[in-house]
Amino acid sequence: MAYALQQLINGITLGMIYGLIAVGYTMVYGIIGMINFAHGDVFMVGAYVGIIVLTAFSGMGLTAVPLGLLVALILAAGLCAIYGYTIERVAYRPLRGSFRLAPLISAIGMSILLENFVQTSQGAKERAIPSLIPGGITLMNENGFVVQLAWMQIAIVITTLVVLGIFTYLVTKTPLGRAMRAVEQDAKMAALLGIDTNRTISMTFVIGAALAAVAGIMFLLYYGVIDFYIGFDAGIKAFTAAVLGGIGSLPGAVLGGLLIGLIEAFWSGYATVAYKDVAVYSILAIVLMFMPTGLLGRNDVEKV
Amino acid sequence: MSKVLSLSGVSAFYGQIQALKSVDIDVNEGEIVTLIGANGAGKSTLMMTICGNPRARTGSIIYRGEDITNLPMHEIARRQIAQSPEGRRIFPRMSVEENLMMGSQVVKFADYDQQLGLMLELFPRLKERFGQRAGTMSGGEQQMLAIARALMSKPKLLMLDEPSLGLAPLIVKQIFSAIRKLNQEMGLTVLLVEQNAFQALRLAHRGYVLVNGAITMQGPGAELLARPEIRAAYLEGGH
Ligand SMILES: Nc1ncnc2c1ncn2[C@@H]1O[C@H](COP(=O)(O)OP(=O)(O)O)[C@@H](O)[C@H]1O
Ligand SMILES: [Mg+2]
């Protein structure tokens, strides 16, 4: 029981991070129908901005941690937003309307570019930060097994919820969010109503990249260790989460992320760490067999 | 009468296929002008070309004294040229309210409430369905929404592409009377495409006949209605 509770806590924390990344995949897919393979690497860049900023702040003691985190979040989101914008502008937009595989190849190119850029500028070795906020709340002690809810996990979950809340407000209530949904549903009609579709697509990349940056920092806080390759692994997991939840669906992306986080945590906890990825992809395969559009994917019939 | 819209020598293509052949048309302030023609004649293409997609390959499109031939689509829309396109194209996963908000994109926020009031008065059905997802409404309701959405921008030129398609006669009547009312009471300028040539020509001040992408006839609505060749081609068959 205690052990399961601990896995639940770990799974939710990890799942929230996957969910944040997955939102970026699903948004871009929804609006231009392509898989942004460089998205995982934008997440990785966010984690590196985080480690640089937090290392700089780490000498200043525990009281500087909240400020350091805030600065890291803002800088990472800002820089990644610029990356997201630029990637779309130089690598995807010129290929819009060409054959379907072209932007995909270009995306893989951008992914390799970002990985190599970070590898050469930051080094190929793993980088670590000490635990910023040690300790936590002890929830339960069962025959010596201590269930801990780490402060860090609380910080990750709260930050993620706040960011997702802001994002949800933006998409559902603001003119930009409406424009994004309009372009997703019918780009030509949106243009007929005065929406600058190119600008709207750019903003989608900007927002997705900023969310990935936040996820990068959360990942850094959770594991404390990163390398230039984390974007690949987390990216594939998050992409899987987006497909599992139903690609194109924003709540689906978060739900998919949570499920994948939980599967990973429970499989590692009860079976074996070695096969945790196999478990994740098996469940994806099974879900898609019975629900080809994912858990919250669209299969409603619309009148034409 | 000042010209709202003036096309001269406009041609448009889909790849190699020419859909418009040197089209000249004028629309004056306060007029209802109708385009009639068989399926595939190029009526929808003409309206879309005015809005910038497909682009006119030759010729020019002058709107209220400004050459808009090569403006991006959203820039054309921002000049308050509104279109309710073929197939309605409402945003299916948005509510009625949000669809109407999308229509008022190009006008000042302060105009939204006033225009919304007008639309809900004109189409009371939309008021009942205000929070409903547009994709779940009936065809007639969707058509009303598409027209109301176009009107939310306080258009200086309203283009309607087959607003009666697939609708019950009673609803068609409602929609046509709404168009007439807007034209008479507010001086709205309308370019109307219709399959139902009889109703369109009765409503319109002037009409153009489009055949295979080219204008073959034009004149006042009543005059076109009286021509035997028009009756033979577009009106016989029980309208
Ligand atoms: N998107 C398109 N791609 C290629 N050809 C098209 C497209 N839309 C229309 N056409 C062709 O252009 C011609 C004019 O079509 P359209 O403007 O839709 O006619 P109408 O509205 O008068 O029925 C037709 O021959 C049609 O097949
Ligand atoms: Mg048509």
Side-chain angles (χ1 to χ4, degrees):
Chain A
M1 177 57 211
Y3 189 65
L5 183 63
Q6 185 69 64
Q7 298 315 324
L8 184 70
I9 292 168
N10 295 347
I12 287 174
T13 314
L14 190 59
M16 298 285 277
I17 298 175
Y18 289 149
L20 264 187
I21 313 173
V23 164
Y25 279 109
T26 225
M27 269 167 77
V28 164
Y29 185 86
I31 209 157
I32 54 174
M34 75 164 278
I35 294 155
N36 176 13
F37 261 101
H39 188 59
D41 298 290
V42 171
F43 153 85
M44 177 269 296
V45 169
Y48 269 89
V49 174
I51 209 165
I52 292 164
V53 173
L54 291 173
T55 308
F57 271 84
S58 68
M60 297 182 216
L62 200 61
T63 49
V65 168
L67 180 66
L69 266 179
L70 193 66
V71 173
L73 284 170
I74 291 170
L75 279 182
L79 185 77
C80 287
I82 295 170
Y83 275 129
Y85 176 86
T86 311
I87 289 170
E88 191 273 333
R89 201 68 189 77
V90 304
Y92 304 157
R93 192 181 300 179
L95 296 173
R96 222 181 281 153
S98 78
F99 70 107
R100 250 185 104 70
L101 274 181
L104 204 64
I105 294 165
S106 179
I108 292 168
M110 290 313 288
S111 163
I112 295 170
L113 181 81
L114 280 179
E115 278 174 27
N116 284 291
F117 166 65
V118 172
Q119 189 186 357
T120 45
S121 63
Q122 299 294 319
K125 280 213 295 277
E126 288 181 343
R127 305 257 313 253
I129 48 163
S131 182
L132 289 176
I133 326 167
I137 310 171
T138 301
L139 290 180
M140 196 188 258
N141 190 336
E142 199 176 80
N143 311 324
F145 183 84
V146 180
V147 180
Q148 254 236 345
L149 180 56
W151 294 122
M152 200 64 103
Q153 287 175 317
I154 296 175
I156 290 170
V157 171
I158 289 177
T159 309
T160 311
L161 284 177
V162 168
V163 169
L164 282 176
I166 295 170
F167 171 74
T168 305
Y169 175 80
L170 186 112
V171 170
T172 56
K173 296 282 190 284
T174 66
L176 174 63
R178 257 196 311 280
M180 285 166 56
R181 285 180 291 134
V183 173
E184 186 234 297
Q185 292 177 33
D186 188 341
K188 200 161 159 188
M189 189 64 230
L192 277 180
L193 294 170
I195 300 291
D196 182 344
T197 50
N198 277 331
R199 183 177 161 274
T200 306
I201 291 168
S202 285
M203 287 311 292
T204 305
F205 275 83
V206 162
I207 293 167
L211 294 179
V214 173
I217 290 175
M218 298 301 110
F219 185 92
L220 172 68
L221 295 183
Y222 190 62
Y223 287 110
V225 184
I226 56 171
D227 62 30
F228 71 95
Y229 212 60
I230 58 167
F232 183 79
D233 199 42
I236 288 201
K237 293 268 176 55
F239 173 66
T240 307
V243 175
L244 182 65
I247 191 121
S249 160
L250 295 173
V254 177
L255 177 67
L258 278 174
L259 286 176
I260 294 210
L262 287 168
I263 295 164
E264 206 177 305
F266 277 92
W267 189 272
S268 315
Y270 285 97
T272 156
V273 178
Y275 290 108
K276 71 177 177 14
D277 293 354
V278 176
V280 167
Y281 299 124
S282 306
I283 288 186
L284 176 74
I286 292 165
V287 168
L288 289 185
M289 241 183 270
F290 293 102
M291 306 174 85
T293 53
L295 295 171
L296 301 183
R298 283 194 295 272
N299 44 16
D300 48 357
V301 183
E302 266 140 18
K303 293 203 176 88
V304 190
Chain B
M1 273 198 292
S2 64
K3 270 186 197 171
V4 172
L5 185 74
S6 176
L7 275 68
S8 48
V10 169
S11 68
F13 291 76
Y14 294 108
Q16 296 297 312
I17 301 161
Q18 183 163 13
L20 294 178
K21 295 165 188 158
S22 192
V23 168
D24 300 324
I25 65 166
D26 290 318
V27 180
N28 298 313
E29 185 106 47
E31 263 189 329
I32 300 178
V33 173
T34 187
L35 276 171
I36 59 175
N39 241 330
K43 305 180 296 295
S44 299
T45 304
L46 181 53
M47 288 200 163
M48 288 306 296
T49 302
I50 294 166
C51 293
N53 183 332
R55 289 244 163 254
R57 194 177 285 181
T58 64
S60 67
I61 303 172
I62 310 292
Y63 170 70
R64 294 158 66 90
E66 182 190 8
D67 188 341
I68 60 163
T69 320
N70 292 308
L71 286 181
M73 280 180 92
H74 64 272
E75 284 297 339
I76 295 174
R78 284 173 191 180
R79 282 158 177 71
Q80 285 164 294
I81 300 181
Q83 185 181 164
S84 167
E86 183 162 44
R88 310 189 270 266
R89 302 181 86 146
I90 46 115
F91 298 110
R93 293 183 296 284
M94 284 189 186
S95 65
V96 167
E97 179 182 19
E98 285 187 308
N99 268 278
L100 294 173
M101 284 175 160
M102 287 304 301
S104 66
Q105 198 73 29
V106 302
V107 288
K108 288 193 304 292
F109 191 69
D111 290 332
Y112 174 75
D113 283 339
Q114 186 208 348
Q115 207 62 9
L116 181 65
L118 276 174
M119 287 310 113
L120 297 184
E121 203 177 298
L122 195 61
F123 301 111
R125 186 63 73 87
L126 295 181
K127 198 174 190 167
E128 293 162 30
R129 300 290 154 104
F130 204 51
Q132 188 173 328
R133 270 161 57 116
T136 64
M137 297 200 302
S138 74
E141 290 165 341
Q142 290 190 11
Q143 187 63 65
M144 289 176 199
L145 178 57
I147 295 171
R149 180 181 61 183
L151 283 166
M152 285 301 288
S153 67
K154 296 174 107 179
K156 299 191 166 111
L157 171 63
L158 174 68
M159 298 195 275
L160 300 171
D161 194 345
E162 303 207 28
S164 69
L165 191 71
L167 301 186
L170 192 67
I171 296 171
V172 174
K173 218 169 164 179
Q174 279 174 21
I175 286 177
F176 273 56
S177 78
I179 298 168
R180 177 177 283 128
K181 190 171 162 205
L182 289 163
N183 173 259
Q184 286 173 353
E185 290 176 12
M186 305 197 216
L188 181 69
T189 308
V190 181
L191 181 59
L192 173 71
V193 160
E194 261 298 328
Q195 279 274 303
N196 187 336
F198 178 65
Q199 285 198 338
L201 287 171
R202 283 213 315 177
L203 179 69
H205 300 104
R206 291 189 303 117
Y208 291 89
V209 178
L210 200 59
V211 177
N212 284 328
I215 302 285
T216 57
M217 261 182 267
Q218 54 178 297
E223 197 176 290
L224 289 177
L225 210 46
R227 290 208 194 178
E229 61 269 43
I230 300 245
R231 298 196 81 93
Y234 305 107
L235 300 178
E236 318 281 79
H239 283 297

